Amino acid sequence: MELEGYLRGDYIRNIIKEGKRLDNRKFDEYRNLEIEKGYVGEKACGSAFVKLGDTKVLVGISMDAGEPYPDSPGQGVMTTSTELRPIASPYFESGPPRQNSIELARVIDRGIRESGAIPTDKLAINDEKVWVVYIDIHILDNGGNLIDAGGIAAISALLDTRMPKFEDDTIIRGEWDGKLPIECTPIPCTVAKISDQLLLDPTQDEEYAMDTRLTIATTDTINAMQKGGGFGTLTDKDVDDAVELAFSKGNEIRKLVEG
Amino acid sequence: MELEGYLRGDYIRNIIKEGKRLDNRKFDEYRNLEIEKGYVGEKACGSAFVKLGDTKVLVGISMDAGEPYPDSPGQGVMTTSTELRPIASPYFESGPPRQNSIELARVIDRGIRESGAIPTDKLAINDEKVWVVYIDIHILDNGGNLIDAGGIAAISALLDTRMPKFEDDTIIRGEWDGKLPIECTPIPCTVAKISDQLLLDPTQDEEYAMDTRLTIATTDTINAMQKGGGFGTLTDKDVDDAVELAFSKGNEIRKLVEG
Amino acid sequence: MELEGYLRGDYIRNIIKEGKRLDNRKFDEYRNLEIEKGYVGEKACGSAFVKLGDTKVLVGISMDAGEPYPDSPGQGVMTTSTELRPIASPYFESGPPRQNSIELARVIDRGIRESGAIPTDKLAINDEKVWVVYIDIHILDNGGNLIDAGGIAAISALLDTRMPKFEDDTIIRGEWDGKLPIECTPIPCTVAKISDQLLLDPTQDEEYAMDTRLTIATTDTINAMQKGGGFGTLTDKDVDDAVELAFSKGNEIRKLVEG
Amino acid sequence: MKLLENGKRLDGRALDEIRDVKIETGVLKRAAGSAYLEWGNNKVLAGVYYPREMHPKFMRDPTKAVLRCTYNMAPFSVDDRKRPGPDRRSQEISKILSEALSSVVLLEDYPDAGIDVSVEILQADAGTRCAGLTAAAVAIADAGIPMRDLVSSCAAGKIDGEIAVDLMKDEDNYGDSDVPLAILPRKKEVVLLQMDGKMTKEEFKKAYKLAFDGAMKVYEVQKAALLSSMDSVEGGE
Amino acid sequence: MKLLENGKRLDGRALDEIRDVKIETGVLKRAAGSAYLEWGNNKVLAGVYYPREMHPKFMRDPTKAVLRCTYNMAPFSVDDRKRPGPDRRSQEISKILSEALSSVVLLEDYPDAGIDVSVEILQADAGTRCAGLTAAAVAIADAGIPMRDLVSSCAAGKIDGEIAVDLMKDEDNYGDSDVPLAILPRKKEVVLLQMDGKMTKEEFKKAYKLAFDGAMKVYEVQKAALLSSMDSVEGGE
Amino acid sequence: MKLLENGKRLDGRALDEIRDVKIETGVLKRAAGSAYLEWGNNKVLAGVYYPREMHPKFMRDPTKAVLRCTYNMAPFSVDDRKRPGPDRRSQEISKILSEALSSVVLLEDYPDAGIDVSVEILQADAGTRCAGLTAAAVAIADAGIPMRDLVSSCAAGKIDGEIAVDLMKDEDNYGDSDVPLAILPRKKEVVLLQMDGKMTKEEFKKAYKLAFDGAMKVYEVQKAALLSSMDSVEGGE
């Protein structure tokens, strides 16, 4: 399968030099994006199923009463986990989270955390307890660009999230007390660099071929960036162009997510 | 050794077709069963050493003061662990518990738990603490049918168990305060299916040969069942026959255990 | 590299039979020893960087407020960890601590603990909390005799340790409240046995060649001993000689450490 | 909590009535075969990767393929978040699902190969091992892997003293006893059987019968899903 | 906490001024190459082992060497003791450092080999990933491994609303936003870029520029350290 | 707690008196060799599997067998339940027992092989490493593996200021200092030696002597057990 990866990569690089993509998209064109909020509505506090082309990601939000970090009393806590489930691709392995999976979770986490989308200062329950917001990103079919698909699913699921009812120092499961307040809608946007071209929303095949990628999560500001995914370099112009693309495409996607 | 397993399996299947077992037992006959309660009497709260033919299992019971599960305030806790120690067989490996070991512990646990043998509602210590009953199953010589040997040793050890003295919010080690109440005596009984025959109490050799096994733990009711140990199937009649065998053989063994 | 180890071992054994060492030291001679206390002075509560010939070890002391052991209320806690970092040698592997690393930490720990160097009874903070003293031994360049280098670095770092200020049930980081009291200065001293000779302070090459080693940690008494590091045996006389060497060399090193 | 009222259950079902089951095949792009199943409020995804070389090597069998089924509950699939990663329960279920599916796949056709079956519980509402096994069997068929028969599954239990088929979550929590069963629907043989609780011999027989009949109903849904997927292929989707 | 007073920072630096950087090469006996770096209060050790056969075997690449960088913080390197062993943060940093260094090492020269780069943070005071990467590049050069260029690194951030280069710990804690950058100093290309916080497009561009210029200053220190080590070799140390 | 009264210890022993030791061989069916040992309230089982191919492969030695001893305390062997699985203490003991036994087994006779020795502490009452090593040596002999000598072991310690042999649990808890020793009883050489506590040179020498003499007494019990097992074989059990 490694060899298959190399060959596909070669093929992709060649057609991109000719100005084309395998699926005939323009370089700055996203794949079809579908968002289904409330997919796990009977159990999860919030959820969203995202299809980005072939890529399928399900995010569920769980909320629990827990302790704040010692250095942030009265502040709610958020934690983001990614599971590259073996169902998603023949290349994934079960076992402890590895570097790819960790990077995926941490980049998505930073976009949400740094934008202030979750107002942790509003998530105190009482003097001792705060809400803990678990964002679990479940990758079900890996068609490429997991950071964007996962990040879009995560913020969509947060927008879908209800607050569990809390009475007599305990959570009443299945009863709700309004929505989780969300302050803004950070959208990650990833460009791949292949044969000196920047392409939005790379497919899995394009990921084989890419020299590197740059992800930029935006609201009205930039909240997170991550170069990764290869040994290629970026020029100043690449970075500038990627920032422009991230803001303009982010605005489009934000409408879909909030809609 | 894998090959040896196959060859032994073949041989066993053939003689069973002829209506015989390697050790000349009848199909519904158990091996010799010896139970020595109090084997670790200087340290453990309860213990029993069981020899079932070649199979040797030692179970020790430890009791500690702990917290109840959040959804079961005031209820004692029981937990069952199995260790397939490397001393027991050349096939075992050290390391994290694996599926065989987990199944073994869980099936034995279910028989005891579901029968209500341990009255967890009588195991509160005070408003915050309850007794935690640890059942540790130590396999020392694997001659086959570990579920029955382990399950018999576990309930025997529970019947041997003394309550540690608890004073001033602390356990006084080495002093006792009566016996752990035990409500009934669940007995697991396993049949192996080989060459369309059901056999009670399979040896390790017979386990190589078996198509599947069915374990049934009984008191005056059925408390646990588990089909496992192979890719073979069972007919309705197999299930009915196994239930009958489990009740009748369970009654015999129960006398030995309680005696 | 395994083969290289064998060959080097052979060579070393031969020249030792001739009464020599590769670096021309006498059999009872230590390598050059440098101790730099306060190496991580901006962050750690105490620290010391030790160079013993080629061997480089950095020990840092962290202090935290924690709970005492249930059987030792009001007593401070000490814990010793060793990390054989991959930077230190091509033979080390990342991953969970292994037997060599565990032995290293435990032998150093015993010398300090058993000598009473850390007066744990003076480390209560209040009715619930006590000081926890973490001794972290970071091996940076493995030129042999890690036990002595690590043990010397550990006690040197302890002598350098400041008590963090504790106010309003919390630690004020970066402010200090006197020094950690240290009652005595245990020094581990290791002899290797090669070709029936005892050698002080073995290099890594000599460790390939050695039949066994004996470590003895002393203050005015013996506080810890450990035979290890090979399949060789010791005679009564070897043990007696090693004890004499440990006391005399220990006194020399102690002056350096305390100086 | 009262679970039966005038012979009707909390959701209006009769004692021998199973919840609605829906199955769709071919829902994943990368997997060789896949199935999505809704069973009451359960939502399950199954996917199959095959026949590739078995890894790790020492697990290879030169006489047949090795089928490994991994059962996994998503952290958000239940009311109280489940820690990610395999716990003891899911490891036991993975083992018995692997054995049940190995009963029916023609493993001898693929020496040295590994067949990896993933069962992902996306939303859980009691009976997830039966739902997962049912979906897994359809996913294997969808992958075109030769099978002796299908595997169909259903459970039965006891609520307010009565035997009932296919308990949902509230019935499972407040009721007692559960008998998960899986069968080869054409051969009428048992490939999975567990039980926990307290049942007399007679109660068990009744539960076994109800679960068996329930599994046969599930079989009809499985067949329909596989037929409709074949139709859509023939129709040149 | 006020971080700027009359345009000066807590430690008296100007906004575009980096902390003192000192680098020494060849500090370890066993490693093929090594470097010790002090950058303000940061103390970092980097060591390289190469080119040996890659382990484990399945990670070998017959077309080029595999470079693995391991970033590790000593437990005592920070105010609150860090548990030993890799956490998620250090695993992410290990990954991006490995990628940045792989951009520049001529991996094709060593098929099947593994190049192991260790970065040990002995004392941490913000900017440790830049400091570690800078030290690692020097250690690789010290080992004589062929490189296309060096890698030089620096960060910039925002304090009291102003963009400033190379934040130290107090600025990092009370300020917001951070842009770690690493470049090929001769080719002027980016091999590491991260950012977190809140920055407008203009703020980011300013931070990017400051970090870039900072990295070029660090480059001069790297060059001087490597030259002086070559001198001392020629001088027959 | 007073540990000495009129020169007698809590259990009436003299300072140089060891507890009763009983050894039985051949107690396990599957192991190649085995021994059951009672030493005061200690109960220990040792078993040996040999010479098979060493796993994992990279640990094989083409010049000799690799002997691995695993020391394990059952969770219920002590007053406060011990968590199952190897902790740091048992890993250290496993290491030094492996080394002590490797001193005496003719490993060169079995290149590429692995010899696995299991020591299970079923009931613990101080001195378990000596008891385990003593049992392990007998189990290896019972397996017919060629040995240069036996290994016999005993400890000595300090109670109420006096040196005493073979401390039991209460003496170990309230006393101080412990010197576990193991010897080759015919060659009179040391294969295991540890110490912790506070002892002057003279105290240590006395403890060493007492432990040595204790080990020689244990040796007699080992010999008797092995002889009686040979008798019973000759007698055609």
Side-chain angles (χ1 to χ4, degrees), chain E residues 170-181:
Chain E
D170 278 337
E171 294 173 333
D172 193 44
N173 284 350
Y174 297 99
D176 58 279
S177 307
D178 191 37
V179 181
L181 178 75

mmCIF file of all heavy atoms in Angstrom, chain E residues 170-181:
data_model
loop_
_atom_site.group_PDB
_atom_site.id
_atom_site.type_symbol
_atom_site.label_atom_id
_atom_site.label_comp_id
_atom_site.label_asym_id
_atom_site.label_seq_id
_atom_site.Cartn_x
_atom_site.Cartn_y
_atom_site.Cartn_z
ATOM 1 N N ASP E 170 7.150 35.237 31.590
ATOM 2 C CA ASP E 170 6.116 36.103 32.146
ATOM 3 C C ASP E 170 5.300 36.763 31.039
ATOM 4 O O ASP E 170 4.088 36.937 31.157
ATOM 5 C CB ASP E 170 6.736 37.191 33.042
ATOM 6 C CG ASP E 170 7.019 36.655 34.437
ATOM 7 O OD1 ASP E 170 6.379 35.662 34.832
ATOM 8 O OD2 ASP E 170 7.879 37.232 35.126
ATOM 9 N N GLU E 171 5.968 37.125 29.957
ATOM 10 C CA GLU E 171 5.239 37.705 28.824
ATOM 11 C C GLU E 171 4.318 36.675 28.192
ATOM 12 O O GLU E 171 3.200 36.981 27.773
ATOM 13 C CB GLU E 171 6.245 38.217 27.788
ATOM 14 C CG GLU E 171 7.078 39.395 28.287
ATOM 15 C CD GLU E 171 8.182 39.790 27.311
ATOM 16 O OE1 GLU E 171 8.641 38.914 26.547
ATOM 17 O OE2 GLU E 171 8.583 40.963 27.325
ATOM 18 N N ASP E 172 4.783 35.442 28.142
ATOM 19 C CA ASP E 172 3.997 34.372 27.546
ATOM 20 C C ASP E 172 2.769 34.079 28.408
ATOM 21 O O ASP E 172 1.667 33.859 27.899
ATOM 22 C CB ASP E 172 4.880 33.127 27.429
ATOM 23 C CG ASP E 172 4.257 32.062 26.542
ATOM 24 O OD1 ASP E 172 3.739 32.421 25.469
ATOM 25 O OD2 ASP E 172 4.281 30.888 26.933
ATOM 26 N N ASN E 173 2.934 34.096 29.727
ATOM 27 C CA ASN E 173 1.814 33.802 30.630
ATOM 28 C C ASN E 173 0.753 34.883 30.602
ATOM 29 O O ASN E 173 -0.438 34.601 30.560
ATOM 30 C CB ASN E 173 2.319 33.681 32.076
ATOM 31 C CG ASN E 173 3.018 32.363 32.322
ATOM 32 O OD1 ASN E 173 2.976 31.468 31.478
ATOM 33 N ND2 ASN E 173 3.667 32.244 33.469
ATOM 34 N N TYR E 174 1.180 36.152 30.652
ATOM 35 C CA TYR E 174 0.209 37.231 30.777
ATOM 36 C C TYR E 174 -0.133 37.880 29.440
ATOM 37 O O TYR E 174 -1.097 38.607 29.337
ATOM 38 C CB TYR E 174 0.732 38.274 31.777
ATOM 39 C CG TYR E 174 0.898 37.709 33.155
ATOM 40 C CD1 TYR E 174 2.142 37.290 33.614
ATOM 41 C CD2 TYR E 174 -0.211 37.536 34.004
ATOM 42 C CE1 TYR E 174 2.297 36.739 34.878
ATOM 43 C CE2 TYR E 174 -0.065 36.988 35.255
ATOM 44 C CZ TYR E 174 1.192 36.592 35.696
ATOM 45 O OH TYR E 174 1.329 36.045 36.939
ATOM 46 N N GLY E 175 0.682 37.654 28.430
ATOM 47 C CA GLY E 175 0.362 38.177 27.116
ATOM 48 C C GLY E 175 -0.602 37.250 26.412
ATOM 49 O O GLY E 175 -1.140 36.321 26.991
ATOM 50 N N ASP E 176 -0.857 37.525 25.136
ATOM 51 C CA ASP E 176 -1.647 36.556 24.380
ATOM 52 C C ASP E 176 -1.055 36.440 22.990
ATOM 53 O O ASP E 176 -0.351 37.322 22.528
ATOM 54 C CB ASP E 176 -3.116 36.958 24.308
ATOM 55 C CG ASP E 176 -3.332 38.306 23.699
ATOM 56 O OD1 ASP E 176 -3.160 39.310 24.450
ATOM 57 O OD2 ASP E 176 -3.657 38.382 22.502
ATOM 58 N N SER E 177 -1.284 35.346 22.368
ATOM 59 C CA SER E 177 -0.868 35.054 21.005
ATOM 60 C C SER E 177 0.624 34.751 20.932
ATOM 61 O O SER E 177 1.421 35.390 21.617
ATOM 62 C CB SER E 177 -1.169 36.205 20.044
ATOM 63 O OG SER E 177 -2.524 36.559 20.154
ATOM 64 N N ASP E 178 0.954 33.777 20.114
ATOM 65 C CA ASP E 178 2.338 33.359 19.947
ATOM 66 C C ASP E 178 2.496 32.804 18.539
ATOM 67 O O ASP E 178 1.644 32.067 18.056
ATOM 68 C CB ASP E 178 2.684 32.288 20.994
ATOM 69 C CG ASP E 178 4.181 32.008 21.036
ATOM 70 O OD1 ASP E 178 4.973 32.953 20.885
ATOM 71 O OD2 ASP E 178 4.548 30.835 21.222
ATOM 72 N N VAL E 179 3.573 33.195 17.872
ATOM 73 C CA VAL E 179 3.847 32.714 16.511
ATOM 74 C C VAL E 179 5.259 32.145 16.458
ATOM 75 O O VAL E 179 6.220 32.879 16.246
ATOM 76 C CB VAL E 179 3.730 33.848 15.469
ATOM 77 C CG1 VAL E 179 3.991 33.302 14.052
ATOM 78 C CG2 VAL E 179 2.379 34.525 15.515
ATOM 79 N N PRO E 180 5.423 30.834 16.697
ATOM 80 C CA PRO E 180 6.751 30.232 16.539
ATOM 81 C C PRO E 180 7.021 29.994 15.053
ATOM 82 O O PRO E 180 6.143 29.529 14.314
ATOM 83 C CB PRO E 180 6.648 28.895 17.272
ATOM 84 C CG PRO E 180 5.264 28.826 17.824
ATOM 85 C CD PRO E 180 4.437 29.867 17.166
ATOM 86 N N LEU E 181 8.233 30.331 14.637
ATOM 87 C CA LEU E 181 8.597 30.238 13.222
ATOM 88 C C LEU E 181 9.984 29.640 13.111
ATOM 89 O O LEU E 181 10.837 29.873 13.962
ATOM 90 C CB LEU E 181 8.605 31.657 12.625
ATOM 91 C CG LEU E 181 9.012 31.816 11.153
ATOM 92 C CD1 LEU E 181 7.878 31.365 10.240
ATOM 93 C CD2 LEU E 181 9.359 33.276 10.855
#
